[in-house]
Amino acid sequence: MKLLKILPFLCLGSVYAQVPEAAQALFDRYQQAGDAQRGQALWQQQHNTAGKNRRCGSCHGDDLSQTGKHATTGKIIQPMALSVNPQRYQDPAKIEKWFKRNCQWTLGRECSPQEKADFLRYLIEK
Amino acid sequence: MRIFIIFMLSIQVVLADDLLDKFHDPQKQAGKADNGLYQQNCGECHMAYQPAFLPQASWATMMQAEQLSEHFGDNARLAEADRQAIEAYLTQNSRQGKHQSLRITEQAFFRDEHKEIPAKYLKNNPVPLLSQCNVCHQKASDGLYEDDFVTLPNHGRWEDD
């Protein structure tokens, strides 16, 4: 009986757990929920920046559930998929800092709020 | 009186030893870079190098705001408060010496310690290998660089001969 009462809350809890608070805060700030398919296409796109072929996978690798390797320093980067790395996407300032750096490095410019929302939706659903 | 002299002498020996140690080998006891803010902000693209590997003036140069946005071709820009706190941590724990290069791997002591690694070996490993201390020094993040903990990838444990 008691279980029945809390069951709906448990379910609610698990639905919430899928979107980290920090990511939700950013969707609110960008004023859109993002689109995972567009995010994936953007993630896989090649750019010619500073005379080199660059994409997000240059450092994060192609399989988001695996570790990546920083293109210039060689440091191992922990997996980006939230499903295998629950420590990801927990701090809006960290996410914004890296969008800024990585968009600049990869695309040669900053990303728009829509692009950032799309990236983030794709990454948290992986 | 004699006891006093012996006492003073032994103090001097200890002091001199200490000084020598600091002068020649601060890098051996590099210690852990035990500053959370530093680890968080300077340990993401490469390991958080111990402050004892660069002189004060080199850290101060590297940590200027404009310099950080052009950090070895990457953008390592920080919020101003973090930048100041990290600069203070690095300069206060730096090694002695004059500014020569922003790279640890170009310091004289570093060249000296690594000159026995065959050039051919370094060439065959693509990414700037020497900057990745922890690839060979298994306990680099604990500040332990002694030869007991050195392994060259695709080559095996380092045997000094």
Side-chain angles (χ1 to χ4, degrees):
Chain A
M1 187 60 208
K2 211 164 173 187
L3 183 68
L4 271 181
K5 269 192 194 155
I6 55 170
L7 204 61
F9 293 101
L10 283 177
C11 295
L12 214 82
S14 62
V15 168
Y16 268 132
Q18 285 171 7
V19 178
E21 249 173 71
Q24 190 53 53
L26 287 177
F27 290 132
D28 293 348
R29 192 181 304 170
Y30 304 146
Q31 299 185 337
Q32 51 208 309
D35 178 297
Q37 252 172 347
R38 277 200 313 251
Q40 176 168 18
L42 214 52
W43 183 270
Q44 289 167 343
Q45 201 175 325
Q46 287 262 10
H47 305 269
N48 190 291
T49 306
K52 295 201 179 81
N53 273 334
R54 292 182 172 178
R55 59 208 165 80
C56 300
S58 303
C59 295
H60 294 296
D62 289 319
D63 180 350
L64 296 187
S65 65
Q66 302 281 317
T67 54
K69 195 169 178 209
H70 195 287
T72 46
T73 67
K75 187 181 185 234
I76 300 295
I77 301 179
Q78 292 311 307
M80 291 298 273
L82 183 60
S83 55
V84 299
N85 186 358
Q87 269 136 287
R88 287 266 173 231
Y89 319 114
Q90 299 299 327
D91 174 6
K94 175 175 177 180
I95 301 172
E96 279 282 54
K97 175 173 98 175
W98 287 103
F99 271 147
K100 196 164 179 190
R101 282 181 184 164
N102 294 341
C103 286
Q104 199 76 53
W105 195 91
T106 312
L107 293 81
R109 60 168 172 84
E110 286 197 27
C111 289
S112 68
Q114 188 193 328
E115 289 169 323
K116 291 194 277 190
D118 292 346
F119 275 135
L120 197 53
R121 178 61 60 184
Y122 168 59
L123 292 169
I124 62 170
E125 283 186 4
K126 265 283 158 182
Chain B
M1 188 59 196
R2 209 148 116 206
I3 289 181
F4 181 69
I5 290 175
I6 292 173
F7 178 67
M8 287 310 282
L9 271 176
S10 58
I11 283 192
Q12 272 195 345
V13 169
V14 170
L15 277 180
D17 235 42
D18 224 354
L19 271 178
L20 273 178
D21 244 32
K22 266 224 139 65
F23 200 72
H24 285 298
D25 264 337
Q27 71 271 16
K28 273 194 187 168
Q29 275 94 39
K32 251 184 139 120
D34 55 353
N35 178 300
L37 193 65
Y38 176 63
Q39 288 284 352
Q40 246 175 49
N41 288 287
C42 302
E44 295 160 307
C45 299
H46 44 65
M47 67 165 278
Y49 301 113
Q50 280 81 6
F53 287 127
L54 283 183
Q56 184 171 18
S58 306
W59 286 127
T61 308
M62 183 182 303
M63 290 303 295
Q64 283 167 15
E66 323 80 73
Q67 186 81 44
L68 280 178
S69 9
E70 299 282 321
H71 179 82
F72 301 92
D74 230 312
N75 178 358
R77 189 128 184 207
L78 296 170
E80 183 55 20
D82 293 350
R83 189 192 68 75
Q84 285 179 14
I86 292 172
E87 178 176 359
Y89 166 70
L90 288 171
T91 51
Q92 280 159 21
N93 294 285
S94 55
R95 67 188 286 115
Q96 283 167 6
K98 282 207 234 91
H99 170 56
Q100 270 157 343
S101 162
L102 293 179
R103 280 195 184 266
I104 296 166
T105 49
E106 285 171 0
Q107 307 294 310
F109 87 84
F110 186 94
R111 290 217 162 115
D112 204 48
E113 298 283 11
H114 295 87
K115 63 179 181 236
E116 281 171 38
I117 301 177
K120 203 171 99 204
Y121 173 81
L122 292 176
K123 265 212 200 107
N124 289 341
N125 286 279
V127 264
L129 181 70
L130 282 178
S131 309
Q132 299 180 70
C133 320
N134 47 330
V135 161
C136 301
H137 295 282
Q138 263 68 61
K139 304 210 167 176
S141 53
D142 295 328
L144 296 173
Y145 289 89
E146 288 88 343
D147 53 1
D148 320 15
F149 309 113
V150 183
T151 307
L152 267 57
N154 316 320
H155 189 279
R157 228 185 80 82
W158 179 258
E159 302 289 350
D160 216 353
D161 41 32

